[in-house]
């Protein structure tokens, strides 16, 4: 069941009414219904994997309780390792087994040693990376004394399986989610309308912008060898870059919007990353729930461990962090390289001590300065180029793609004329994003002071665009992670 | 909460006139009968063929790609069967995997007695068609409520922008894209005034990159037919005379052998029509035939079927 489907619309409409009706009885029943709804939502995809989700929740719930029952740090640490090992093993088996086995055999083949390896035909359970990271952070937060272990199993199971963010995030933390689920929730009109608005914007991003751009990007990437102009390939990378952001941030907006309708505030995932002035800033604004997770549980401990090496230690920590960012996306060397390249762009910032410098682009102004425009354009250009590694299925294909951009007359006019809808939707999208860049999402305050009729006309226009200018339906890119 | 629902109602009520107006303009502007059929896949030809086959029950099916759609001559088949319980379910771009899907879905409606599968090497290439939900195909084939399926597959853009194109497909028969069927579902290309495309005319089928999966699916089709007592005839289509020398004969022979081996395992008949020279005048491109070509081709393989069946009958009598 995906957010932009009839199935989900029916499911959510019924669930929404029941949820608030049951909420009038008591909190426990409401939370139980939420859990049942989440499991129904997950089982709709494949009921067999529901047991994995339930099993993982149960295991981590018990580990959490065991950790809280002792004051002995060593025993706590042991339980933590057991919990983390379960998460890593599940990820390893379902996501990385084939990758490591084949890479291992490939490494031996370099020395003319042929290893016969068996790969497995494994289905990747939807959302496994997201809910595993949720359970791991829960245990680490208990260990670090940030939270107490959750006693109420319904609350904890809801934290792991909360359906709006189950399949593609945001990766919420127990520290922010659990207090909300334990507190009685009252329907809040402003929060609900804000949620509706964010869902509408998310739908527009996904259906109009991402799906239209995907059509062109897929056409160019899937048969990249037939295009004779390098500019056509660059064109494909540009549209993929727009697609990736509109797709993933659109999904996140919908997830956050649906959560708001249920009375929850979950983490923000994007902060207009394509208006960043350098790659460091870009990573502060892209997939925030993942990067902040890695910052807290990987980068910070590593930089602490490597602190004796000074700036070199910091570089080591950043590179390790970004290798994990790459690997998190998938079991492929192209994703590892994607992470490593991004990590390399941090090195100058570490060396000149500007890694933590935060600048807000054109704050309070509509028009940015020339310098800001140049910085944004350069950053965006770099992101487009790096995304080729992300989109190409293998590293070999990515290298071939790059070489074709350079060698196949890069300045020749592209052979493909982009569909007007794709171009127009991208232009409208970026314009609205620019106008609303100081809000949580682009249209949060657009029309806030207008007469209701005019505001409605704006929303009608978005709905009409969704109906009449939808692209060919494509799966959410981040579902495969 | 009341305020929230009140606002939702006001919002929806305000939207209704806009939608009604848009629908009115749309209905005024287009011929409603050319609204494309339910978008069950990304292929308009496939969707249209499902729509055409809606509530049509037949004992004999021809399933396959445009090789089946264009090259199997309906009247020749009907004469051979001495019955008009026949349906051509051919559609552009179907690979063998799609044929399997279509056969299984139709079998849920009515188990056919005979199936003709006309294929070339191109039908073993990578799958192009994407279904939204292939399990719905048999339901669409029999539904009394087609409108519900329009609501289930609500690709408004496809239905609206596709009208002009669909009208073009249904009215013209001088282009490759024609979907102007005869009463059995064949598209007959005229022998004169056809809009030939040079690239297609000179296309060499042995350059096709084959997808191994399709051989497995052919095996599945053969097993399925065997288990359900369906007589399956696989007819390998010919290439026009002018292109025979450009073919990679080794590759073609390898392919034919594999197909034949699979079919023989389950006693299904494999008919290769490349054993004679087919004049260029019978074709509209490398492999697609015009109406005249389709008639000659169909009569030719029917004769081969008759011969093969009579010789096997004699053999079994002798035994």
């Amino acid at each position: 069941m995906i957010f932009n489907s009839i199935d989900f619309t029916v499911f959510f409409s019924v669930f929404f009414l029941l949820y608030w009706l049951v909420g009038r009885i008591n909190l426990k029943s409401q939370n139980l219904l939420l859990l049942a709804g989440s499991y129904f939502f997950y089982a709709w995809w494949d009921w067999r994997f529901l047991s994995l989700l339930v099993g993982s929740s149960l295991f981590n719930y018990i580990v959490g309780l065991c950790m809280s029952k002792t004051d002995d740090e060593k025993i706590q640490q042991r339980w933590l390792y057991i919990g983390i090992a379960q998460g890593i093993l599940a990820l390893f088996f379902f996501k990385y087994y084939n990758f490591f086995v084949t890479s291992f055999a490939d490494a031996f083949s370099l020395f003319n040693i042929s290893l016969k390896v068996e790969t497995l035909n494994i289905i990747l359970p939807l959302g496994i990376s997201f809910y595993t990271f949720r359970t791991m952070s829960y245990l680490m937060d208990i260990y670090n004394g940030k939270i107490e272990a959750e006693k109420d199993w319904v609350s904890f199971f809801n934290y792991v399986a909360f359906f709006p963010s189950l399949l593609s995030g945001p990766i919420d933390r127990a520290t922010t989610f659990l207090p909300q689920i334990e507190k009685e929730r009252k329907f809040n009109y402003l929060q609900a309308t804000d949620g509706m608005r964010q869902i509408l914007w998310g739908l527009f991003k996904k259906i109009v912008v991402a799906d239209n751009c995907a059509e062109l990007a897929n056409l160019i990437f899937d048969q990249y060898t037939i295009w004779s102009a390098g500019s056509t390939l660059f064109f494909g990378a540009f549209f993929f870059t727009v697609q990736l952001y509109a797709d993933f941030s659109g999904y996140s907006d919908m997830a956050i919007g649906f959560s708001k309708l249920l009375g929850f505030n979950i983490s923000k995932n994007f902060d207009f990353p394509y208006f960043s002035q350098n790659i460091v800033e870009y990573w502060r604004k892209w997939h925030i729930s993942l990067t902040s997770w890695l910052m807290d549980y990987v980068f910070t401990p590593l930089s602490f461990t490597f602190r004796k090496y000074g700036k070199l230690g910091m570089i080591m920590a950043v590179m390790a962090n970004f290798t994990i960012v790459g690997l998190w996306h998938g079991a492929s060397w192209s994703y590892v390289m994607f992470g490593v390249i991004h990590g390399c762009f941090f090195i100058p910032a570490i060396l000149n001590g500007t890694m933590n410098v935060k600048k807000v682009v054109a704050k309070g102004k509509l028009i940015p300065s020339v310098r800001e425009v140049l910085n944004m354009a350069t950053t965006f250009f770099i992101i487009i180029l790096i995304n080729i590694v992300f989109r190409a299925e293998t590293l070999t294909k990515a290298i071939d793609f790059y070489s074709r951009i350079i060698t196949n007359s890069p300045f020749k006019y592209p052979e493909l004329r982009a569909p007007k809808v794709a171009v127009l939707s991208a232009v409208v999208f970026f314009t609205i994003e620019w106008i609303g860049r100081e809000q949580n999402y682009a249209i949060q305050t657009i029309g806030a002071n207008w007469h209701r009729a005019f505001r409605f006309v704006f929303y009608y226009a978005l709905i009409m665009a969704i109906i009449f200018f939808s692209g060919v339906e494509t799966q959410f890119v981040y579902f495969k992670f | 909460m009341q305020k929230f629902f009140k606002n939702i109602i006001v919002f929806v009520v305000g939207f209704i006139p806009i939608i009604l107006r848009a629908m009115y303009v749309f209905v005024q502007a287009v011929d409603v009968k050319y609204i494309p059929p339910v978008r069950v896949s990304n292929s308009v030809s496939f969707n249209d063929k499902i729509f055409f086959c809606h509530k049509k029950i037949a004992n004999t099916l021809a399933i396959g790609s445009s090789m089946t759609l264009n090259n199997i001559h309906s009247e020749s088949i009907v004469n051979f069967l001495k019955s008009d319980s026949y349906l051509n379910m051919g559609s552009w771009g179907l690979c063998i995997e799609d044929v399997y899907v279509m056969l299984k879905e139709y079998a849920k409606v009515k188990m056919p007695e005979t199936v003709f599968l006309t294929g070339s090497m191109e039908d073993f290439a990578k799958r192009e068609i994407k279904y939204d939900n292939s399990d719905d195909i048999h339901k669409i084939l029999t539904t009394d409520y087609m409108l519900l399926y329009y609501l289930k597959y609500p690709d408004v853009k496809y239905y609206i922008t596709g009208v002009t194109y669909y009208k073009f497909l249904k009215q013209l028969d001088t282009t490759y894209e024609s979907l102007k069927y005869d009463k059995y579902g064949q598209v007959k290309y005229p022998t004169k005034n056809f809009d030939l495309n040079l690239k297609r005319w000179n296309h060499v089928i042995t350059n096709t990159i084959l997808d191994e999966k399709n051989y497995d699916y052919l095996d599945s089709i053969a097993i399925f037919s065997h288990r359900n007592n369906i007589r399956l005839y696989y007819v390998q289509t010919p290439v026009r005379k002018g292109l025979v020398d450009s073919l990679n004969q080794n590759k073609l022979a390898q392919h034919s052998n594999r197909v034949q081996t699979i079919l023989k395992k389950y006693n299904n008949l494999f008919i290769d029509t490349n054993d004679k020279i087919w004049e260029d005048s019978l074709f509209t491109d490398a492999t697609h035939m015009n109406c005249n070509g389709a008639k000659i081709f169909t009569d030719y393989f029917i004769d081969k079927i008759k011969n093969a069946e009579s010789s096997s009958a004699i053999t079994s009598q002798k035994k």
Side-chain angles (χ1 to χ4, degrees):
Chain A
M1 234 185 319
I2 52 170
F3 291 160
N4 53 329
S5 67
I6 300 284
D7 300 341
F8 183 79
T9 311
V10 173
F11 162 74
F12 192 80
S13 307
V14 175
F15 182 80
F16 176 78
L17 290 174
L18 275 176
Y19 176 82
W20 288 111
L21 273 175
V22 171
R24 289 183 179 185
I25 304 167
N26 62 42
L27 179 65
K28 185 136 195 166
S29 317
Q30 196 182 34
N31 284 347
L32 263 173
L33 179 74
L34 181 60
L35 185 62
S38 295
Y39 285 164
F40 177 79
F41 173 79
Y42 195 74
W44 191 269
W45 164 64
D46 194 329
W47 60 270
R48 291 166 302 172
F49 286 105
L50 187 59
S51 55
L52 185 70
L53 177 65
V54 177
S56 176
S57 306
L58 181 66
F59 185 84
N60 284 282
Y61 173 70
I62 295 168
V63 170
L65 288 180
C66 293
M67 283 172 80
S68 69
K69 275 189 183 155
T70 174
D71 291 331
D72 186 332
E73 203 182 320
K74 276 193 176 168
I75 298 174
Q76 271 196 338
Q77 198 178 49
R78 215 170 288 155
W79 280 114
L80 173 70
Y81 288 159
I82 291 171
I84 300 285
Q86 177 273 327
I88 291 174
L89 278 175
L91 277 180
F92 179 83
F93 179 74
F94 286 105
K95 200 167 172 177
Y96 301 109
Y97 175 79
N98 287 342
F99 169 66
F100 282 115
V101 161
T102 49
S103 298
F104 190 66
D106 289 346
F108 270 87
S109 69
L110 291 176
F111 305 102
N112 283 333
I113 303 169
S114 163
L115 291 183
K116 199 182 169 198
V117 292
E118 293 273 329
T119 55
L120 301 174
N121 192 11
I122 306 168
I123 302 172
L124 181 70
L126 269 186
I128 189 167
S129 308
F130 294 92
Y131 68 73
T132 306
F133 268 44
R134 231 172 265 153
T135 54
M136 288 203 283
S137 70
Y138 165 74
L139 297 179
M140 287 189 274
D141 283 350
I142 296 176
Y143 181 72
N144 292 328
K146 287 186 188 168
I147 48 166
E148 288 285 309
E150 179 58 54
K151 306 267 184 312
D152 178 16
W153 69 272
V154 179
S155 299
F156 179 73
F157 280 47
N158 262 317
Y159 161 64
V160 182
F162 183 58
F163 74 85
S165 56
L166 176 60
L167 302 185
S168 269
I171 306 165
D172 243 318
R173 304 289 182 83
T175 42
T176 55
F177 188 88
L178 288 174
Q180 293 186 67
I181 197 136
E182 283 162 353
K183 211 172 73 185
E184 195 182 332
R185 293 177 290 280
K186 288 220 165 73
F187 184 82
N188 181 325
Y189 171 76
L190 289 177
Q191 189 188 31
T193 48
D194 194 39
M196 293 287 282
R197 204 178 297 121
Q198 195 159 1
I199 292 166
L200 178 61
W201 184 234
L203 282 170
F204 176 81
K205 281 190 199 179
K206 166 65 185 156
I207 297 174
V208 181
V209 185
D211 285 352
N212 276 304
C213 290
E215 231 173 298
L216 197 64
N218 291 342
L219 183 68
I220 295 172
F221 270 92
D222 290 348
Q223 304 169 9
Y224 72 94
T225 50
I226 66 167
W227 310 109
S228 61
S231 55
T232 309
L233 300 181
F234 183 77
F235 210 45
F238 167 80
F239 277 101
F240 173 68
T241 302
V242 179
Q243 178 211 345
L244 186 65
Y245 172 55
D247 185 284
F248 192 21
S249 70
Y251 182 90
S252 297
D253 278 338
M254 286 186 257
I256 296 168
F258 287 119
S259 306
K260 283 178 180 168
L261 282 172
L262 301 177
F264 288 88
N265 283 313
I266 61 170
S267 318
K268 186 175 172 178
N269 227 8
F270 292 91
D271 189 16
F272 310 99
Y274 288 168
F275 301 139
S276 304
Q277 295 189 73
N278 54 55
I279 294 292
V280 179
E281 187 187 344
Y282 168 76
W283 278 102
R284 271 198 292 269
K285 297 177 165 196
W286 178 270
H287 202 173
I288 299 168
S289 66
L290 174 71
T291 50
S292 65
W293 194 102
L294 290 167
M295 169 72 92
D296 290 351
Y297 304 111
V298 177
F299 177 73
T300 307
L302 277 180
S303 53
F304 187 73
T305 311
F306 297 148
R307 69 187 184 283
K308 59 186 171 198
Y309 303 112
K311 285 183 176 172
L312 179 66
M314 185 73 106
I315 291 171
M316 282 156 65
V318 164
M319 295 313 286
N321 194 45
F322 273 95
T323 306
I324 295 173
V325 167
L327 263 179
W328 178 89
H329 284 91
S332 145
W333 285 108
S334 57
Y335 288 125
V336 174
M337 191 47 76
F338 165 79
V340 169
I341 297 172
H342 271 290
C344 290
F345 279 96
F346 276 65
I347 297 173
I350 295 169
L351 294 177
N352 62 27
T354 56
M355 201 168 103
N356 293 318
V357 175
K358 290 177 188 168
K359 284 183 199 165
V360 181
V361 64
K363 189 168 172 57
K365 290 186 286 181
L366 186 66
I367 311 288
S369 67
V370 176
R371 193 192 168 95
E372 284 171 332
V373 171
L374 282 175
N375 285 343
M376 282 191 286
T378 312
T379 310
F380 190 56
F381 181 73
I382 293 167
I383 292 163
I384 292 173
L385 291 182
I386 302 178
N387 277 346
I388 292 170
V389 189
F390 190 91
R391 175 62 175 76
E393 287 137 16
T394 62
L395 210 50
T396 323
K397 273 191 186 173
I399 293 165
D400 192 28
F401 198 97
Y402 283 124
S403 70
R404 281 169 191 270
I405 288 184
I406 299 162
T407 53
N408 291 4
S409 17
F411 301 110
K412 200 173 135 187
Y413 199 75
E415 297 145 287
L416 262 178
R417 196 172 289 177
K420 281 178 198 146
V421 181
V423 176
L424 195 69
S425 66
V427 170
V428 170
F429 169 57
F430 279 121
T431 308
I432 295 178
E433 287 264 301
W434 177 258
I435 294 167
R437 73 191 180 281
E438 287 176 24
Q439 310 302 325
N440 281 326
Y441 58 94
I443 63 163
Q444 188 171 27
T445 53
I446 290 181
N449 300 321
W450 301 352
H451 185 276
R452 185 166 72 171
F454 291 115
R455 199 167 58 243
F456 277 13
V457 168
F458 175 62
Y459 301 146
Y460 291 150
L462 287 179
I463 294 173
M464 297 294 265
I466 290 168
I467 296 172
F468 293 107
F469 300 113
S470 57
V472 173
E473 194 181 320
T474 45
Q475 202 194 38
F476 285 99
V477 176
Y478 268 67
F479 267 17
K480 64 181 175 194
F481 305 136
Chain B
M1 200 150 192
Q2 262 181 336
K3 189 180 170 189
F4 177 75
F5 281 117
K6 205 176 114 190
N7 260 320
I8 294 277
I9 291 165
V10 171
F11 186 79
V12 172
V13 168
F15 198 48
I16 290 170
I18 298 174
I19 285 289
L20 288 178
R21 179 70 196 164
M23 280 169 68
Y24 177 76
V25 170
F26 176 64
V27 170
Q28 291 292 310
V30 303
D31 196 341
V32 180
K33 74 175 181 193
Y34 290 116
I35 293 175
V38 175
R39 193 196 181 285
V40 70
S41 78
N42 63 344
S43 159
V44 67
S45 165
F46 183 84
N47 300 343
D48 191 47
K49 193 37 83 81
I50 297 298
F51 188 70
F52 173 81
C53 296
H54 174 236
K55 296 219 163 174
K56 287 193 171 74
I57 303 294
N59 291 327
T60 302
L61 302 179
I63 312 183
S65 63
S66 47
M67 292 293 108
T68 301
L69 176 70
N70 303 124
N71 292 3
I72 297 195
H73 193 262
S74 306
E75 286 74 18
S76 297
I77 295 285
V78 170
N79 286 339
F80 165 60
L81 297 168
K82 296 185 178 63
S83 152
D84 70 349
S85 180
Y86 163 70
L87 203 50
N88 184 324
M89 295 184 81
S91 155
W92 312 333
L94 296 197
C95 67
I96 299 296
E97 183 178 352
D98 301 309
V99 173
Y100 180 61
V101 171
M102 213 151 176
L103 175 60
K104 281 193 81 171
E105 285 299 303
Y106 190 85
K108 289 176 190 166
V109 180
K110 159 99 176 65
M111 189 61 73
E113 291 167 10
T114 309
V115 169
F116 291 96
L117 203 176
T118 325
S120 80
M121 272 181 90
E122 287 166 306
D123 301 335
F124 287 75
K126 201 177 161 193
R127 189 180 207 183
E128 286 175 356
I129 295 182
K130 287 179 188 152
Y131 310 102
D132 288 347
N133 181 3
S134 62
D135 292 342
D136 268 352
I137 294 172
H138 74 274
K139 295 177 195 159
I140 297 174
L141 284 170
T142 50
T143 185
D144 288 324
Y145 307 101
M146 192 63 90
L147 191 62
L148 284 181
Y149 286 93
Y150 275 97
L151 295 174
K152 187 169 180 188
Y153 298 98
D155 190 339
V156 180
K157 186 184 157 194
Y158 165 80
Y159 297 125
I160 292 173
T161 57
V163 171
T164 319
Y165 181 54
Y166 187 61
K167 189 174 178 180
F168 162 80
L169 301 180
K170 297 303 278 183
Q171 287 187 334
L172 272 182
D173 59 1
T174 50
T175 72
Y176 297 107
E177 291 157 297
S178 171
L179 291 179
K180 207 171 161 186
Y181 307 125
D182 67 9
K183 76 184 252 208
Y184 303 101
Q186 187 204 353
V187 171
K188 293 185 169 93
Y189 288 154
T191 44
K192 283 180 186 164
N193 299 326
F194 192 82
D195 190 9
L196 284 177
N197 176 319
L198 208 61
K199 203 174 163 188
R200 289 182 62 141
W201 182 254
N202 292 320
H203 178 65
V204 178
I205 57 155
T206 46
N207 289 345
T208 308
I209 299 166
L210 303 173
D211 185 354
E212 281 297 309
K213 265 197 321 189
N214 282 309
Y215 293 100
D216 297 336
Y217 277 104
L218 182 65
D219 196 75
S220 305
I221 292 170
I223 296 173
F224 183 81
S225 305
H226 183 71
R227 283 190 186 149
N228 294 291
N229 293 323
I230 299 170
R231 271 181 301 168
L232 173 68
Y233 301 118
Y234 182 96
V235 186
Q236 179 134 299
T237 51
V239 174
R240 68 177 182 85
K241 184 182 173 183
L243 279 178
V244 171
D245 290 340
S246 328
L247 296 177
N248 180 338
Q249 293 296 346
N250 275 346
K251 209 173 160 187
L252 188 62
Q254 264 179 9
H255 167 74
S256 303
N257 286 339
R258 280 190 76 175
V259 171
Q260 195 168 7
T261 311
I262 293 168
L263 294 162
K264 270 195 167 173
K265 262 197 298 185
Y266 306 99
N267 295 325
N268 296 304
L269 200 55
F270 171 79
I271 302 144
D272 193 353
T273 53
N274 282 298
D275 54 353
K276 91 169 209 150
I277 298 295
W278 296 84
E279 291 302 324
D280 288 354
S281 60
L282 303 175
F283 288 81
T284 57
D285 65 12
T287 48
H288 294 84
M289 294 173 143
N290 58 34
C291 178
N292 190 25
K295 167 108 182 64
I296 296 171
F297 164 69
T298 311
D299 289 341
Y300 182 72
F301 78 68
I302 284 174
D303 279 345
K304 286 194 131 199
I305 289 173
K306 284 178 182 167
N307 288 340
E309 288 190 336
S310 60
S311 62
S312 73
I314 293 165
T315 319
S316 57
Q317 268 178 359
K318 277 181 184 173
K319 278 181 186 174

